[in-house]
Amino acid sequence: MTTSAKSNFMPASLVSNLQQVLALKNDGVQQQRSSNASELNKVSSSCCSSSEDGIQGKEYVKPVVLVTNGEGIESPGLTFLVQALALDDGLDVCVCAPQLDRSVAGHSVTVRETISVSSSQINGATAFEVSGTPADCVSLALSGALFAWSKPALVVSGINRGSSSGNNTFYSGAVAGAREALICGVSSLCISLNWKKDVSCESDMKDAVGVSLPLIYAAVKSIQEGVFPKSCLLNIEIPSSPLTNKGFKVTKQSLWRSSLSWKAVSTNKRPSAPHFMSNQQSLGIQLAQLSRDASAAGAARRLNSQKQNVEIESVGAARKNNSEKTVKCFRLEFLEEEQENVDENLDIRALEDGFVAITPISISPPTIGSEIQASVSNWIAGALAKNPLAFH
């Protein structure tokens, strides 16, 4: 593997820590694990151990790494990553991830509905699966309701299958998990493999773990030293052939997004509900339909009925009131699209060129340029001048 640290405006302290970890990695996988554990213990001990004033005996606390993702707790990317991290004695690895695939849930959260949480074990890591979105998972984990610790050192969302470059970040549940951590004041990474349909395989995901580990170790060390960037999350995109990557490259977010393709679906064979919404969301929509066609008492009785009965009744109500309407079903698919003539410093270009693209994503309010500000002001003034009475 040719992974190297290409600074390209990456903070010097983070580059230094990354170079140290990469040097350890080149000495062999087993030596890397023991050495990294030693380094992490050394840094943490300096923060937690006694000082020269005579205080002694404080117990060393391992830095906590919380892992989530967008594709669900049973996805190979999360499993392989947790397995690798759990082998490191210097880390306390915890997992809080969606029960189902919520990779395109965006930054949605579940309100006015109950979500369920089940405990699990993934190679010794304390784990919970949640019937919500990635943002739900991180928010709940950081609330103190599930884990004994008060705050993790780092949140890692991944490893996710498919690119989250450019405007795909707005759709990505994986990015949302990392963004939710940043909103809550916790440093975070989102890690994705540029999965190619009919080309990529499960071993590529394992290789992607090997590429991402030095970044995770370097991030934990920098966080403990107080030098990790606090104002952004790092969106890390690993090329489709992880072992032949050209090195790490800090990039800018592009405007690229996957091509959206809507396909008509036969009403006799509809896609399964999890691809569109959770079972609870589906039930909520059906109940909303019932409430429009029934009395309050009738709606209350239906709330206690089985989901199957609700579906039958809601379909019947819909047919009764919409007998003259035609129902059509569609399914959205994301299609891969090659990019040409794109700036080499943008995320998607660097990724396609074989680099590990590292894109800082900030939650700070966007800066609106003076030209845009003037354009909006002129439009408002013109609208008011043409029809002043309409705005009173």
Side-chain angles (χ1 to χ4, degrees):
M1 183 168 61
T2 58
T3 305
S4 61
K6 182 181 177 66
S7 63
N8 195 22
F9 307 115
M10 193 183 292
S13 54
L14 183 56
V15 171
S16 176
N17 285 335
L18 181 55
Q19 288 173 333
Q20 290 179 30
V21 176
L22 287 172
L24 293 171
K25 186 176 180 64
N26 292 334
D27 290 337
V29 175
Q30 189 60 41
Q31 183 177 347
Q32 169 203 326
R33 287 173 182 153
S34 59
S35 299
N36 276 322
S38 176
E39 285 295 315
L40 289 170
N41 289 339
K42 181 179 178 182
V43 175
S44 295
S45 296
S46 67
C47 298
C48 302
S49 62
S50 62
S51 59
E52 295 181 358
D53 59 8
I55 300 176
Q56 298 289 335
K58 281 193 175 182
E59 183 181 357
Y60 161 64
V61 179
K62 297 178 182 179
V64 175
V65 174
L66 174 66
V67 181
T68 190
N69 73 345
E71 296 167 7
I73 196 164
E74 295 183 354
S75 68
L78 182 141
T79 301
F80 295 150
L81 179 61
V82 172
Q83 286 175 345
L85 291 173
L87 291 173
D88 194 322
D89 293 334
L91 296 175
D92 183 3
V93 184
C94 298
V95 179
C96 190
Q99 199 173 58
L100 303 172
D101 185 349
R102 306 304 299 271
S103 54
V104 288
H107 206 119
S108 61
V109 293
T110 305
V111 294
R112 294 185 293 275
E113 293 180 9
T114 301
I115 63 174
S116 62
V117 180
S118 302
S119 60
S120 182
Q121 285 286 330
I122 303 179
N123 289 89
T126 303
F128 292 94
E129 57 181 68
V130 179
S131 65
T133 67
D136 286 332
C137 294
V138 174
S139 177
L140 181 60
L142 298 182
S143 72
L146 298 180
F147 299 100
W149 39 260
S150 59
K151 183 179 179 181
L154 178 69
V155 171
V156 179
S157 181
I159 293 175
N160 303 285
R161 190 172 71 169
S163 173
S164 295
S165 297
N167 283 338
N168 275 8
T169 59
F170 295 106
Y171 303 110
S172 172
V175 173
R179 189 189 296 114
E180 183 65 23
L182 183 61
I183 292 172
C184 296
V186 180
S187 299
S188 60
L189 309 175
C190 178
I191 307 176
S192 303
L193 170 66
N194 190 24
W195 186 273
K196 296 294 185 181
K197 186 178 180 180
D198 300 326
V199 176
S200 298
C201 58
E202 196 169 275
S203 63
D204 294 324
M205 193 65 78
K206 292 182 179 180
D207 295 337
V209 171
V211 172
S212 64
L213 284 178
L215 278 166
I216 295 173
Y217 290 132
V220 171
K221 186 176 181 183
S222 295
I223 289 166
Q224 294 181 307
E225 294 173 349
V227 295
F228 190 81
K230 294 183 175 62
S231 58
C232 64
L233 67 92
L234 299 184
N235 188 28
I236 300 165
E237 300 276 310
I238 300 173
S240 53
S241 298
L243 295 183
T244 59
N245 76 80
K246 298 179 181 178
F248 300 105
K249 185 175 184 179
V250 176
T251 57
K252 297 178 182 179
Q253 186 175 353
S254 65
L255 297 177
W256 173 84
R257 75 164 187 174
S258 298
S259 178
L260 306 186
S261 175
W262 286 97
K263 303 287 186 181
V265 179
S266 170
T267 55
N268 296 325
K269 188 177 180 181
R270 300 186 185 186
S272 57
H275 290 284
F276 289 90
M277 61 189 75
S278 69
N279 290 335
Q280 292 171 333
Q281 287 174 311
S282 178
L283 181 58
I285 291 173
Q286 292 157 4
L287 289 174
Q289 177 66 40
L290 279 176
S291 67
R292 288 195 294 267
D293 301 298
S295 65
R301 287 194 300 272
R302 290 184 180 90
L303 279 170
N304 296 319
S305 64
Q306 294 297 321
K307 180 184 175 185
Q308 182 179 0
N309 295 333
V310 172
E311 289 178 337
I312 293 172
E313 292 178 20
S314 63
V315 170
R319 287 175 178 172
K320 187 182 297 182
N321 294 319
N322 301 302
S323 57
E324 298 180 1
K325 293 184 179 180
T326 301
V327 177
K328 296 182 178 180
C329 296
F330 297 87
R331 184 172 186 172
L332 176 63
E333 295 182 358
F334 284 76
L335 303 180
E336 296 180 3
E337 193 172 277
E338 293 295 328
Q339 296 297 302
E340 297 180 359
N341 302 321
V342 178
D343 186 338
E344 64 179 10
N345 290 318
L346 294 179
D347 50 10
I348 188 64
R349 180 74 276 154
L351 181 63
E352 293 293 346
D353 285 345
F355 287 97
V356 178
I358 304 174
T359 308
I361 297 179
S362 174
I363 57 173
S364 300
T367 302
I368 303 298
S370 57
E371 291 184 4
I372 296 177
Q373 200 81 26
S375 175
V376 173
S377 297
N378 292 337
W379 175 79
I380 289 292
L384 288 170
K386 289 179 180 179
N387 197 358
L389 295 179
F391 293 92
H392 292 281

